[in-house]
Every structure is written in C-alpha cells, then in structure tokens.
Amino acid sequence: MAEAHSSSENMLVKIENLDKLLNLAGDVIISSSNLGLAQKNLQALFESHKQVNQEMVDSVSDLATTSADISSELHHLVQAIRTVDLKDLSFRTRRIIRDISRKTGKQIIFDFEGEDTSIDKTVVEQIYDPISHQLRNAIDHGIEDAITRQKDGKSPEGHIVLRVYNTESETFVEIEDDGAGVNMEMIREKAIALGKMDEGDELTEDVALDVICSAGVSTAKEVSEVSGRGVGMDVVRNHISELGGTVSFRTEAGKGSTFIFRVPLVSAVNIVDALVVRSGRFLFGFPISSVISSMSIPKEEVTTTLSKGEMVKHLNSLLPLHCLNKLLDNEELKESECGDVVDDDGKIPILVIDYKGTRIALKISEFLSPQKLVIIPFNGALNVDGLSGTTVLGGRKLGFIIDVTSLVARATGKGYSAGSQAKADKNGKGGKAGAGLPEVKAEAVEVPKAGPTVGDEKEDVPADNVQEFIAEIEKMMPQLNEALFGLENDPTNSEQINLAFRLFHTIKGNLIMTGYAKGGETVHSVESVLDFARSGQVDVSPEVMDVLMDGVSYVEDLIKHSKAGTWVDAVNDEILVAGASILPKKEETAKTIVDVSSGDIRFSHEASYRAVDYRKQQIALYQCYVEFDPGKQPSFLVACLIYKVVSELGDVLGTLPPLVDIENGLVEGKMRLQFASGIDPDKLKKTLVGHLTKHYGVTVANLTHFG
Amino acid sequence: MEKDFNSLKALAVDDHENTRSRLVSSLKGFGITVVEAENGIEALDRLREGGIDIILTDIVMPEMDGFELCGEVRRSSDFHSLPIVVLSTHCDTNYIIKALRYGADDYIAKPFDVELVKKVITRVLTPVLKEISDG
C-alpha cells in the first residue's frame, strides 16, 4: 500500500467532514496549549524544588487521554474522508455488462449489491480492473447460451450478481454467476498435466485456482473476443495480491460459480501497528500482523545444515534463520555486519515472521517496543526491495518499515513478489497503466505507437491545468452515467437528453481546452447524436445508446490514461462511424465558391423594387468590394459581420457570394456588396473603409457608385 | 477611438466555473470590471441590477441557454442594445449563424485567444454609425 500518489489528484469531500476536521484542528490547538501550560507548571515545580503533586499527575494524564482521543478520531475521520460510495463503480460495471452482452449476444440480468458500501477511493480504482475482467470471464465462460440454458431448465437470461461489502477488516467483492460452473474435471486434468498434483490426489481449491490463473491456460473451449486468450485470471490475482488481498472461488456444476476477492481495508494515512526492532545501527518496523513470535534463544540451539544454512526450531518445525541486515543486502545497510549479537543473557534475539504461510526467522540485535507508525512511502527515486518506506520514531529517529512480502520472497529465493514487481513497473517511466490488462479498448490508446506523449502536442497548456480540466470531467462522470442509464429506461425523457447533451458538450470543451483535439472530436460526434435527439430528428434507439455508452467508456479511458500520463490523443473510429451512421444525411449542397470579382450580383425581387425606389429618390447606390483576412475567426463569420456593418450604414440589396452561400460557409476572404445609403459620400467612404480596415482585417476596400 | 476598458463593466456568463474563471481573469487583465452569471436566468438578474456595458456568454447552459439569453436581451426594453459576444466550442456554421440571428454581435471560438477577445470587445463597442456621427 506504500504507493506514492500524484499530487494533482482530486476528490470531493463533504463539507460536513471538513467541518469536523476543523473542529478537531481546534481541539489539537487547545490540547497543545494545555500541554504548554503543564510544561510551565512542571518547570516551576522543578525550579522551586517541590514535589510533583497528584493534581499535576492527573492533569498530565488527562492531557494524554484527550490527545489520544483526538489522534484516533482524526485517524478515523481522514479514513472516512478518503472513502467513496460505489455508485460510480456500479455504473461502470453496468456498462461493461451491457457491452459484453451486446458483443456475445447473451442476455444478462445484472445486480449490483452494495452501492452504499464505502471504500477508500484508491482501492475502488484498483479493484475496477479485476472486477471488470472477472465480469467478462463470467459472461464469456460462465453463462451458457440461451438455448443451452433453456435445455437445462434455466431462464434464457443469465444472472450475474456483483456484491461488495465490508467486514471489520476486509472488503469482500463477490462475482456470482448462474452459469455452467467451472469444469473441475478439466481443471483436474490440466493440474496433473501441469505437474501441480498427482494422479491420485484430491483437487484442492488452491490448486484449482492456480490452474485457472496459469498464464496461457484458458478454461474456455474456444478463444473468444471478449475475455481474451487465456491470460487474465493471473493478472486479476496479481492485482488483488498487490492490494494485499486474496482470490478464491466456489463452483457447482450446472449451477454457477462465485469468485471472491478479499482486500484488507486500508488505512488512509498508511498507519501500521508495528513491532520496532534494532538491527545493527538501524531501526526497523515490522507490521505486527506478520510477526509470529519474538524470542531469545541460546546460541547452541541454532543448527547448521549443509544445504540450507542456519536453521532454528520454532514450535514443531525448523525455520531457516537469516540475518536481517544481510537479507536486505543494501549498500547502506551492510555497514553494520551481522555478527551473532547476544543479549545480556547470552541469547540471540530472533523474530519469526509469516507471509501467507511461509515463515522465516530473523536474527536481529534488539527488540524495542511495539507502536503505531506512519509509513512514508519511498517516492520511486529510492526503491529498496524488502522495505516499504521510512517512518519517524520517537526521539525523531528515522526508521524503516519492512515490506514483508518482498522480504520473505528474498529469503525464500523466489525473487520479486508479484506485488513488488508491479510496483517497479509503476515507478518505471512509460509503464502501461493497468498492468497490461488486455481489454477495455486499449486500441484507441495504442494507435500511434509513439509511447506516452505527455504534453508534447499541447505545449501551451500547462500540465497542472490539464489535470484541472480532467478532474472537472471526472466530476461530471457520475451525473453523465446517471443520465444515460436514466435515458436507457426512458428514451423519450427530454430532460435526460438535454442533460447528457450538456455534459458531453462541456466534456468536449474541456478536452479541447486541454489540448486533446482528437478526444474533443470523438466526443463531438457523440454530442451531435444527442443534439439531433434533442431536436427530435433522431430517436434514442439501442444503437444510439450504444454510441452514448461507448462515448462514456472512451472518456473514462481518457481520464484514466491522462492521469497516468499515458494518454495518446487519438480519435475512436468506432464511435465516429457509429455516430455518423445515426445522423440524418445532410442534403448535398453546391460546394463551390462563386467568383466574387466577375460574377453578377443578383437582387431578390424585393431588393430590385427597392433599388428602383432609391434611384427615384436620388439616394446613392454603392458597390463595395473587400478582401479580408479573417484571422482566428471563420471567414463566413467575418463576412457576415462586414455585412452587418454595411447594413448599419445603408440598405444592402445584394451580395456576392449571395448571403445564403456565406451563411453556408461558402466564402473565402473576399466579397462584394451593393447597397443604398443617404450618408455624405466622402464621410461614408472614409468611415466605412477605415472601420472595416481597423476592426475586421479588411486589406482591400473599393467603394464605387453603381447604377 | 479606443475604448477605455477601465471604465467598462462586463457580464461573463458560463455554467462552467473553470472556463468562466479563465474568461473573467482575461477580462480583468484588460482592466474590465466583471460580473458573473452561471446561466441565462442569472444573467438577466445581473442585467437588471444595472451598469453592464457588454455581455460575453457561453451557448450551452442549463436553465436558459445563450441563444435564449440573446433573444431576451434583444426583446427587453432596458438593455436591448447591449453588445453581446458569444463564446462557444461549437464552431459549426449553423450554430454561429443561429447565434447571430438571435442577436449576438460577434462570436469567439473556445478555447479563446485572449487577443481576439480584446479585439472583438473593442469592435462591438465601436458602432460604425457612431463613428459617422462623431466624424
């Protein structure tokens, strides 16, 4: 869990919790000033050579109690602040189900139980990939096709339940399907083939899971598009074990399977209960949960075997004995070589630790007290295998926190554990997010095989701002999800259509602001579909819903990869094509721009009557030819604005290109206008040409009389 | 005649705090005093409070969008002649033309170019007819 978080991450915090935090801060201030007072009183007693009285002792002990209460309340509060409910996870999983169901043609009834469960935000993000993978597995390998199901007396639709709940110390995620169940006979054969068990042995759950998780082994008879090619379950298990959790399953032939992830509840500020020991001149904290026993044994009880080195007897078994400092094998740490340290009674202090059933004994120098320690994670610059971070002990001494997983792995010679390996990947630059889970539309990210290009194409947008805009998009996602699922149930609900339209529109805006032009383009096509739905030109059909849901998935991917610094801006062709196929075909209009300098300006019937009238009244008729540089605005807009300026000074009778062409964008940097005006010719010429030149990028302006 | 931006009061309308604050800080950078609103309805309230010289508005907003706001302003008796600049990520011809028809005086694409905003504000506040009468 000792993982550095990017400082730009945001989360929503309830005002109520912030208020509580403020109150607690107040309590801290009061208790610290009381402490100051007690210190003064003590000093006074000391200076006047008086005895410490009971009153004094009581007040200090009150202070200690209060301060302990505050610390514990603070800890719980910060933990609570970091937790979120699972509404968002629920939406995302429902979309996955929808998507797989569409791809496999299997009808699925999906229940998410435990939307209100509160889980640490980081953990929610971390369990998403394993959950999404397992849901795919469940539908693809678990749920049978409708015909088979009916033959077996089941309902044609498959049922999947995703259940998330907390116990005192763990979060449970259960993914239950009512499919065919895991074929244990096949697993058994594979286990034997892989040498994981002998012919006569009984297949244990652990071995079965090992087989299911073996890379390259798929229990599906045929490889399918949805859940990949037999890789996956191993990735799921690695992911969960990285969180300190475990994967298990139960299955019943013909009835279905349930896969269970158990993840320990994380403490928000990485506080561990640790046993502090000294080894050489260094202090180390061992998480109490991993410590089996601490003992001091006479030197003679250490046995040395030729093959396994030093061993020590613990309970009824012999454990390999390692010197902690040697095991850590760190240049810095090596300084204090590991001799046999003996305590006052001539005994060696030994610590026995356990990681998932593997026990080792460690020679140390001295046992110190157990205490609560705050882990300060290494920030990637320093990564010592066997240690998870540093901590500050009483007396402002620096200590190291032991990473039991990798320490035991080192001791048993199993190399890096899955957890530390994944950690190394994350710290390395260019590591792909999600530890290479193959699904969730990675294509869009991988199209230009250029690797991560953070900031390359968006020099003018500072990275901080990018994350700000991305964070804002992230905040909109729950609302967007809610609107879309609302719309799916009630496709004519114009309020939801409008809301979804606005959200997609804002997301597009933010993406463009961020410099993700292709992202903006992709979202624009989703927005267009909604725009037509808004005006009633398109019905919200299942096809339309597909585009909308794909749009959300695309944005979610973008958020995820942008935050990890691995987003490569690319359009999603699937969305563009699907979006375009839904939109009503535009009428083909002539796309040629008329020749402005030679063509005739044609008046409308009405305008020609007015022209006659102006001549009768001897009001001057003018022709104005302009060439302009529209700068950062579209040409047609500037042409329209010039039209408006001229029409303020007179009556515009006609233009070339005709106004209707201009409004369709068929104009390019030059136009001709004919108009009538009663203004003094010299004044008119001077003002009009001056105004257009100054404000509208006009480079050439000819004003002549006509008619 | 250059407008003195320091004496101007602009109304910035956008439902999105992030984008609105960018606009606001740009305007303030010009020395313009800024009043903010999150949508058309709020904008009308701010207008009724008086003193506004120019409106800069987003189009897509909840409650009342930019088109409707343009329409309401042009129909009102008190502030029908106020210059309105529309800012939007929609750069479709249809959208821009629609904004102009609803009464917008100018249009700026988002993300906006600060210099363009300055240029556009200057020109919408300088009606050609006034130049004629001023000589």
Side-chain angles (χ1 to χ4, degrees):
Chain A
M1 232 47 38
E3 186 184 300
H5 296 291
S6 123
S7 57
S8 60
E9 274 198 47
N10 295 292
M11 73 179 289
L12 289 172
V13 175
K14 281 189 198 135
I15 293 281
E16 182 195 334
N17 278 336
L18 280 183
D19 287 347
K20 277 189 202 160
L21 204 55
L22 200 62
N23 284 340
L24 277 173
D27 291 349
V28 170
I29 293 167
I30 293 168
S31 88
S32 100
S33 80
N34 285 345
L35 193 63
L37 210 62
Q39 188 263 339
K40 268 186 200 152
N41 290 341
L42 270 174
Q43 185 76 25
L45 285 177
F46 178 73
E47 278 164 10
S48 58
H49 304 286
K50 281 189 190 149
Q51 284 281 320
V52 175
N53 53 27
Q54 185 60 42
E55 198 187 332
M56 197 68 231
V57 173
D58 287 349
S59 82
V60 172
S61 101
D62 275 356
L63 256 170
T65 319
T66 319
S67 134
D69 286 351
I70 295 172
S71 321
S72 129
E73 211 174 314
L74 202 55
H75 183 199
H76 283 118
L77 181 61
V78 175
Q79 219 169 333
I81 285 177
R82 280 184 56 99
T83 62
V84 290
D85 66 27
L86 303 179
K87 223 169 183 176
D88 193 38
L89 184 72
S90 150
F91 284 131
R92 292 171 76 178
T93 47
R94 279 159 73 184
R95 229 175 32 247
I96 292 175
I97 299 284
R98 196 181 177 284
D99 189 52
I100 313 167
S101 166
R102 169 164 48 129
K103 284 189 176 139
T104 55
K106 291 177 185 173
Q107 291 294 312
I108 306 293
I109 294 172
F110 176 61
D111 280 320
F112 187 107
E113 293 177 11
E115 251 183 37
D116 296 334
T117 308
S118 286
I119 300 186
D120 187 277
K121 186 172 185 256
T122 319
V123 176
V124 177
E125 280 161 17
Q126 304 265 20
I127 56 171
Y128 172 73
D129 278 346
I131 289 176
S132 94
H133 199 95
Q134 191 46 43
L135 288 175
R136 279 161 211 273
N137 277 340
I139 299 181
D140 205 28
H141 304 325
I143 305 287
E144 321 84 328
D145 61 73
I147 299 172
T148 313
R149 287 181 66 88
Q150 278 175 314
K151 241 190 262 166
D152 294 346
K154 292 182 182 177
S155 64
E157 315 87 19
H159 287 77
I160 290 188
V161 182
L162 172 59
R163 205 174 289 121
V164 186
Y165 57 93
N166 287 331
T167 63
E168 189 87 337
S169 60
E170 285 173 311
T171 298
F172 277 72
V173 177
E174 297 183 0
I175 295 157
E176 184 183 318
D177 67 66
D178 70 342
V182 176
N183 183 341
M184 292 307 264
E185 205 34 56
M186 194 162 78
I187 297 282
R188 199 187 144 78
E189 281 166 25
K190 273 188 179 148
I192 296 166
L194 288 166
K196 287 187 189 289
M197 60 181 271
D198 291 328
E199 214 48 78
D201 292 354
E202 198 170 317
L203 178 65
T204 62
E205 189 189 317
D206 278 352
V207 172
L209 198 65
D210 259 359
V211 172
I212 294 173
C213 291
S214 303
V217 177
S218 176
T219 51
K221 287 187 196 97
E222 284 164 39
V223 164
S224 81
E225 188 206 347
V226 175
S227 61
R229 284 145 189 85
V231 289
M233 264 321 276
D234 53 331
V235 182
V236 169
R237 188 157 67 163
N238 282 350
H239 245 84
I240 296 295
S241 83
E242 198 185 322
L243 291 167
T246 56
V247 177
S248 61
F249 77 104
R250 46 174 191 263
T251 186
E252 200 177 331
K255 293 264 172 72
S257 318
T258 305
F259 279 79
I260 302 141
F261 309 154
R262 295 164 65 148
V263 178
L265 284 181
V266 233
S267 164
V269 276
N270 290 333
I271 294 177
V272 284
D273 278 309
L275 175 66
V276 182
V277 305
R278 182 173 65 78
S279 181
R281 61 186 184 88
F282 294 100
L283 298 178
F284 297 95
F286 281 82
I288 288 267
S289 54
S290 69
V291 175
I292 299 300
S293 84
S294 54
M295 54 192 189
S296 290
I297 58 161
K299 213 179 161 192
E300 309 82 70
E301 284 185 19
V302 175
T303 49
T304 309
T305 65
L306 218 58
S307 56
K308 290 178 178 167
E310 288 187 324
M311 305 286 280
V312 66
K313 199 170 176 202
H314 176 251
L315 301 175
N316 287 323
S317 57
L318 270 181
L319 296 180
L321 179 62
H322 299 268
C323 165
L324 177 60
N325 273 5
K326 266 190 195 158
L327 194 54
L328 287 169
D329 191 29
N330 182 281
E331 285 301 318
E332 283 287 315
L333 300 173
K334 237 184 198 170
E335 277 177 37
S336 41
E337 277 308 323
C338 202
D340 278 339
V341 188
V342 286
D343 60 17
D344 298 344
D345 302 327
K347 289 179 175 173
I348 309 171
I350 284 171
L351 188 67
V352 178
I353 58 168
D354 173 286
Y355 174 69
K356 289 190 179 170
T358 308
R359 289 181 181 185
I360 57 168
L362 295 166
K363 273 195 275 188
I364 55 148
S365 309
E366 189 189 354
F367 291 110
L368 302 167
S369 59
Q371 49 181 286
K372 276 190 195 298
L373 298 178
V374 177
I375 304 177
I376 305 160
F378 293 128
N379 58 9
L382 179 68
N383 215 356
V384 186
D385 198 30
L387 300 180
S388 58
T390 58
T391 189
V392 178
L393 293 153
R396 299 198 176 268
K397 267 185 264 171
L398 195 68
F400 297 99
I401 307 281
I402 297 289
D403 175 10
V404 179
T405 319
S406 57
L407 188 71
V408 170
R410 277 188 89 100
T412 52
K414 282 184 185 160
Y416 295 97
S417 68
S420 64
Q421 182 64 56
K423 221 184 281 169
D425 281 349
K426 268 187 200 156
N427 290 331
K429 280 194 181 120
K432 251 198 323 184
L437 274 187
E439 78 290 354
V440 201
K441 296 217 173 111
E443 319 86 78
V445 181
E446 286 177 353
V447 172
K449 293 220 185 298
T453 57
V454 192
D456 281 2
E457 292 139 17
K458 32 183 210 296
E459 290 154 63
D460 46 348
V461 188
D464 271 4
N465 265 335
V466 170
Q467 284 318 313
E468 206 177 294
F469 282 114
I470 294 295
E472 218 180 84
I473 295 177
E474 203 178 4
K475 261 193 261 171
M476 289 180 252
M477 297 313 280
Q479 219 187 340
L480 182 57
N481 269 311
E482 208 154 335
L484 292 192
F485 281 105
L487 199 55
E488 189 167 44
N489 290 330
D490 180 8
T492 56
N493 188 326
S494 62
E495 219 166 277
Q496 305 280 32
I497 296 177
N498 271 318
L499 178 61
F501 169 78
R502 274 204 310 276
L503 289 167
F504 271 117
H505 174 81
T506 311
I507 289 169
K508 177 186 79 178
N510 273 22
L511 290 180
I512 294 172
M513 292 278 207
T514 309
Y516 294 147
K518 307 280 186 195
E521 194 185 322
T522 307
V523 175
H524 175 74
S525 76
V526 181
E527 179 195 331
S528 306
V529 170
L530 278 163
D531 200 13
F532 278 93
R534 247 165 32 127
S535 57
Q537 286 171 270
V538 157
D539 288 333
V540 181
S541 60
E543 289 75 32
V544 167
M545 278 317 299
D546 289 348
V547 173
L548 302 184
M549 295 287 188
D550 285 351
V552 178
S553 301
Y554 174 83
V555 175
E556 268 172 4
D557 262 13
L558 188 152
I559 293 173
K560 180 172 136 193
H561 286 282
S562 175
K563 279 164 79 177
T566 53
W567 175 253
V568 177
D569 200 23
V571 292
N572 182 313
D573 289 330
E574 246 175 76
I575 294 179
L576 290 190
V577 171
S581 73
I582 287 165
L583 298 185
K585 299 280 170 287
K586 272 190 189 159
E587 290 163 40
E588 287 296 317
T589 45
K591 282 266 155 101
T592 46
I593 297 170
V594 295
D595 184 352
V596 175
S597 29
S598 68
D600 280 334
I601 295 183
R602 290 177 57 183
F603 292 171
S604 68
H605 295 306
E606 207 192 327
S608 48
Y609 288 127
R610 290 202 320 266
V612 171
D613 204 33
Y614 290 134
R615 279 193 197 103
K616 241 194 260 171
Q617 295 177 45
Q618 298 212 313
I619 290 174
L621 295 175
Y622 296 92
Q623 166 155 285
C624 181
Y625 171 78
V626 291
E627 288 179 13
F628 57 93
D629 172 10
K632 291 192 168 153
Q633 289 180 305
S635 205
F636 79 91
L637 170 64
V638 177
C640 286
L641 296 177
I642 291 173
Y643 180 98
K644 277 184 69 185
V645 169
V646 175
S647 62
E648 275 181 58
L649 299 175
D651 178 14
V652 180
L653 299 164
T655 63
L656 208 64
L659 193 56
V660 55
D661 277 17
I662 294 177
E663 288 189 344
N664 277 315
L666 297 173
V667 59
E668 237 168 35
K670 48 189 171 184
M671 69 188 291
R672 209 141 49 95
L673 307 102
Q674 287 177 344
F675 64 98
S677 174
I679 296 172
D680 173 67
D682 286 340
K683 217 175 186 179
L684 174 73
K685 188 168 181 175
K686 195 174 143 232
T687 319
L688 180 61
V689 174
H691 189 84
L692 292 181
T693 311
K694 186 172 176 195
H695 296 295
Y696 294 90
V698 166
T699 49
V700 175
N702 278 320
L703 190 66
T704 50
H705 284 280
F706 89 99
Chain B
M1 188 193 67
E2 274 293 333
K3 273 278 164 186
D4 180 12
F5 280 1
N6 286 311
S7 64
L8 285 181
K9 195 176 190 181
L11 173 61
V13 194
D14 197 317
D15 56 327
H16 245 255
E17 207 189 322
N18 219 329
T19 29
R20 194 176 66 237
S21 73
R22 285 195 143 199
L23 177 62
V24 170
S25 63
S26 299
L27 295 174
K28 284 186 175 163
F30 305 148
I32 298 176
T33 310
V34 191
V35 177
E36 301 178 44
E38 277 188 23
N39 56 52
I41 302 225
E42 262 192 53
L44 290 173
D45 288 343
R46 295 293 89 77
L47 284 170
R48 284 184 204 108
E49 287 161 14
I52 307 285
D53 299 300
I54 180 171
I55 303 165
L56 294 104
T57 180
D58 182 28
I59 294 185
V60 180
M61 295 179 292
E63 309 290 333
M64 183 192 279
D65 67 19
F67 296 131
E68 292 171 78
L69 174 63
C70 288
E72 288 295 327
V73 169
R74 292 291 173 250
R75 277 193 293 274
S76 73
S77 51
D78 299 331
F79 27 82
H80 56 88
S81 61
L82 274 187
I84 306 175
V85 178
V86 164
L87 294 98
S88 175
T89 43
H90 268 290
C91 38
D92 242 42
T93 37
N94 291 340
Y95 252 80
I96 300 175
I97 297 298
K98 186 171 169 187
L100 295 181
R101 287 192 180 151
Y102 267 80
D105 290 299
D106 218 315
Y107 163 91
I108 296 170
K110 285 202 282 194
F112 59 81
D113 177 277
V114 179
E115 281 311 303
L116 180 62
V117 173
K118 194 174 187 175
K119 182 180 163 187
V120 165
I121 292 178
T122 309
R123 76 183 179 206
V124 295
L125 286 166
T126 320
V128 68
L129 264 181
K130 194 162 180 298
E131 287 192 336
I132 290 268
S133 54
D134 290 351

